[in-house]
């Protein structure tokens, strides 16, 4: 699994002109699921994300995690995170998991994140054409990939 985590002051996802979800301070998490990914990968990522200390403390240093700040999380599925681009100019998405494999793992990721955060997370809709708006705070953007756990 590959994620792009952005610390945001606000983020929202719109589908067909209707706002599906919106959050204030927290994380926008774009998640791509690969054919080799497992529930263990989802668990590892969720734990790392909720413990990620990138929110400012009283001195303005990045020392607090999302639990300490009581922030929100917006999770958006994005298969294009697994684009292969070395050959030619049209990306290949052969490594991205097909919906029958990806949807259950995406739903597991959401459930695990909800459990660890201690409150519901916001989401987009898997496979939908979504418009995502955000204000990246910092900017702080971190990429995590379960293929690079060490």
């Amino acid at each position: 699994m590959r994620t792009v985590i952005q610390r945001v002051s606000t983020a929202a996802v719109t589908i067909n002109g209707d706002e599906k979800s919106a959050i204030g301070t927290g994380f926008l998490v774009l998640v791509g699921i690969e054919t080799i990914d497992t529930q263990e990968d989802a668990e590892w990522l969720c734990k790392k994300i909720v413990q990620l200390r990138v929110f400012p403390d009283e001195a303005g240093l990045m020392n607090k995690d999302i639990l300490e700040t009581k922030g929100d999380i917006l999770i958006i599925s994005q298969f294009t995170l697994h684009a292969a681009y070395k050959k030619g100019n049209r990306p290949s998405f052969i490594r991205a998991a097909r919906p029958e494999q990806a949807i259950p793992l995406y739903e597991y990721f959401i459930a695990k994140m909800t459990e660890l955060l201690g409150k519901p997370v916001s989401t987009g809709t898997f496979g939908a054409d979504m418009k995502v708006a955000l204000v990246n705070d910092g900017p702080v953007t971190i990429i995590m990939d379960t293929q690079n756990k060490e």
Side-chain angles (χ1 to χ4, degrees), residues 41-51 73 75 108-114 116:
D41 292 319
E43 289 174 17
W44 182 86
L45 272 173
C46 288
K47 287 176 186 174
K48 292 296 277 188
I49 291 168
V50 298
Q51 294 174 0
I73 295 179
I75 299 172
Y108 182 81
F109 183 84
I110 292 166
K112 191 66 179 176
M113 191 69 80
T114 297
L116 293 174

Side-chain angles (χ1 to χ4, degrees), residues 40-106:
E40 291 77 25
D41 292 319
E43 289 174 17
W44 182 86
L45 272 173
C46 288
K47 287 176 186 174
K48 292 296 277 188
I49 291 168
V50 298
Q51 294 174 0
L52 190 59
R53 294 176 17 185
V54 296
F55 292 93
D57 63 13
E58 295 71 26
L61 301 173
M62 290 197 298
N63 257 336
K64 290 188 175 186
D65 62 34
I66 196 156
L67 298 172
E68 293 173 285
T69 61
K70 297 179 176 40
D72 295 314
I73 295 179
L74 172 58
I75 299 172
I76 304 292
S77 62
Q78 189 170 353
F79 75 94
T80 59
L81 292 179
H82 289 289
Y85 48 82
K86 291 184 181 178
K87 184 177 174 187
N89 293 317
R90 184 168 186 255
S92 167
F93 304 105
I94 194 81
R95 292 182 9 205
R98 305 276 312 146
E100 55 273 10
Q101 177 191 5
I103 291 172
L105 196 49
Y106 174 69

